[in-house]
Amino acid sequence: MESKITAIAVYTPSNRITNEYFEQFIETNNEWIISRTGIKERRFADKNEFTSDLCVKAAQNLLAENPGTSFNDVDFILVATTSADQVMPSMASQIQNRLNIQNCGCLDIMAACAGFVYGLILAKGMIASGTHKKVLVFGAEALSKFTDFHDRTSCILFGDGAGVALVEPSERSKIFNAVTGSDGSHGKDLYLSQHASVINGEAIESNGKIHQNGKVVFKWAIQTVSVKVKELLAKNSLTLDDLDWIILHSANMRIIEGVAAEIGAPMDKMLSSIEYFGNTSSASIPLAWNIAKNAGKIKPGNKILMLGFGGGLTFAGVIIEA
Ligand code: COA
């Protein structure tokens, strides 16, 4: 059985955080943040708003924006997140309950900023195997709850938000071949640990906040993503000209520009959510999709390459038809 994305929607908290906000408590400024990251503002969840709340609101938006769509026969929920409300129960199980979806498998995916694309790949596999027919894939984060606001190199980057895609059977495949991979030797270059204080046998600080070696991740991202985009195109017997849009994880505008230069793609093919939402990890790709959809850019039949990358360090890429 082939599959396709039949709907996509997002939710972002209303609390807008401009770059000037950070000037109150760290040595930074609007110009540095914009020039080094491309970020103008981001959203932060309220004190009592958590990742599961953002997911439920994104799902409600999906229903509101797609009349005739129902979650009655959804048979699996996948939630990609690095910032779950708690470790157990899963976000997926809470969403199942709050959306009142019965007879539904539930699973959270821990693949950091690559999680949403991993979710699409898993949903495609479930439908292909014939075990499931209607899968909700969320990418959602409340990263502000895990941000170290004393660390000026990382706190200016992150934002909160949620996206959700509905994946269903299709007569013709609209979710094509994928690439996935990981380099766990870089584990301590980007981590969030609440308990264990070693990664790969090396001591780390485990204070429940995000730690990042920005320079190492930056270099790894440009090199790895450039190679994997080319590999993904080859795996699908496509060229850059066959793609209408490329959505890389929005970690930093300079990473997107670096990869575009490396693969020879024009910047007007690159979609992102970095400018107004910052780095929202697993939510960044659906947020970028939604911005482009609202701007009238993404049209039915468009071919879109999506590639997420981040903590692991891991990556996942897939080409889809809108
Ligand atoms: N405001 C002002 N100055 C800052 C700053 C801030 N918020 N953060 C760092 N600086 C300073 C540094 O201290 C350094 O000063 P120094 O030269 O006196 O030591 C200078 O700016 C340059 O720092 P550097 O770390 O080289 O900046 P950068 O250009 O590499 O940008 C990141 C830093 C974090 C924005 C960038 O490395 C990055 O985006 N990395 C990857 C992020 C990523 O992909 N994350 C996750 C993938 S999911």
Side-chain angles (χ1 to χ4, degrees):
M1 183 68 77
E2 303 294 354
S3 54
K4 63 180 174 188
I5 296 174
T6 53
I8 202 156
V10 306
Y11 172 78
T12 49
S14 56
N15 189 14
R16 281 177 57 225
I17 305 291
T18 62
N19 291 339
E20 284 77 14
Y21 166 81
F22 298 93
E23 295 174 6
Q24 301 169 51
F25 52 88
I26 54 167
E27 210 175 305
T28 192
N29 58 74
N30 184 40
E31 292 68 37
W32 190 94
I33 299 173
I34 291 180
S35 66
R36 304 311 289 162
T37 70
I39 301 169
K40 289 184 177 155
E41 58 183 59
R42 72 290 288 142
R43 304 291 179 94
F44 282 178
D46 290 338
K47 203 163 134 261
N48 298 317
E49 196 175 33
F50 295 89
T51 295
S52 61
D53 301 308
L54 307 186
C55 289
V56 168
K57 286 174 180 157
Q60 288 165 342
N61 285 344
L62 190 148
L63 289 181
E65 291 162 16
N66 296 276
T69 298
S70 127
F71 292 154
N72 288 344
D73 43 357
V74 164
D75 50 17
F76 214 98
I77 298 174
L78 291 165
V79 182
T81 186
T82 312
S83 48
D85 310 4
Q86 64 281 316
V87 176
M88 180 175 70
S90 70
M91 294 297 87
S93 287
Q94 286 186 57
I95 292 161
Q96 172 269 318
N97 178 52
R98 290 176 64 185
L99 296 177
N100 195 23
I101 299 172
Q102 305 300 324
N103 304 317
C104 171
C106 289
L107 188 68
D108 286 3
I109 300 170
M110 295 239 287
C113 314
F116 179 74
V117 177
Y118 270 106
L120 293 179
I121 296 167
L122 289 174
K124 172 188 159 86
M126 286 172 169
I127 291 172
S129 73
T131 56
H132 295 85
K133 284 204 168 65
K134 200 166 177 180
V135 185
L136 276 174
V137 180
F138 291 85
E141 308 285 355
L143 294 176
S144 61
K145 315 235 184 249
F146 301 91
T147 298
D148 180 353
F149 287 99
H150 299 292
D151 175 8
R152 71 171 181 166
T153 68
S154 70
C155 71
I156 47 105
L157 297 172
F158 303 116
D160 303 339
V164 57
L166 187 58
V167 183
E168 296 185 83
S170 170
E171 280 178 13
R172 182 169 67 76
S173 175
K174 293 190 179 182
I175 303 179
F176 307 119
N177 293 330
V179 290
T180 54
S182 205
D183 181 355
S185 71
H186 279 297
K188 74 173 181 27
D189 288 321
L190 182 50
Y191 72 87
L192 195 178
S193 175
Q194 268 148 333
H195 308 295
S197 52
V198 283
I199 293 178
N200 290 327
E202 281 185 61
I204 54 151
E205 193 181 342
S206 55
N207 62 355
K209 301 292 179 196
I210 301 165
H211 293 255
Q212 175 174 259
N213 186 345
K215 271 192 198 308
V216 172
V217 179
F218 190 93
K219 263 197 198 152
W220 173 87
I222 294 186
Q223 281 168 2
T224 308
V225 174
S226 302
V227 170
K228 293 300 158 185
V229 166
K230 291 177 193 164
E231 209 175 293
L232 187 51
L233 284 169
K235 223 172 162 178
N236 285 286
S237 307
L238 295 172
T239 67
L240 266 184
D241 290 340
D242 297 317
L243 296 178
D244 296 285
W245 308 107
I246 297 174
I247 314 181
L248 307 180
H249 162 51
S250 291
N252 185 321
M253 188 46 98
R254 290 190 295 130
I255 293 179
I256 296 173
E257 289 165 353
V259 173
E262 190 66 34
I263 63 174
M267 272 308 286
D268 58 10
K269 228 177 222 194
M270 313 297 288
L271 303 178
S272 104
S273 52
I274 194 80
E275 196 175 4
Y276 293 103
F277 298 104
N279 178 345
T280 52
S281 190
S282 65
S284 90
I285 289 177
L287 286 180
W289 175 309
N290 195 61
I291 293 168
K293 189 182 76 179
N294 289 343
K297 289 184 175 176
I298 294 181
K299 302 206 168 57
N302 278 181
K303 283 204 174 59
I304 308 173
L305 183 150
M306 295 185 269
L307 199 146
F309 56 88
L313 297 172
T314 190
F315 61 84
V318 70
I319 296 174
I320 64 106
E321 187 179 314

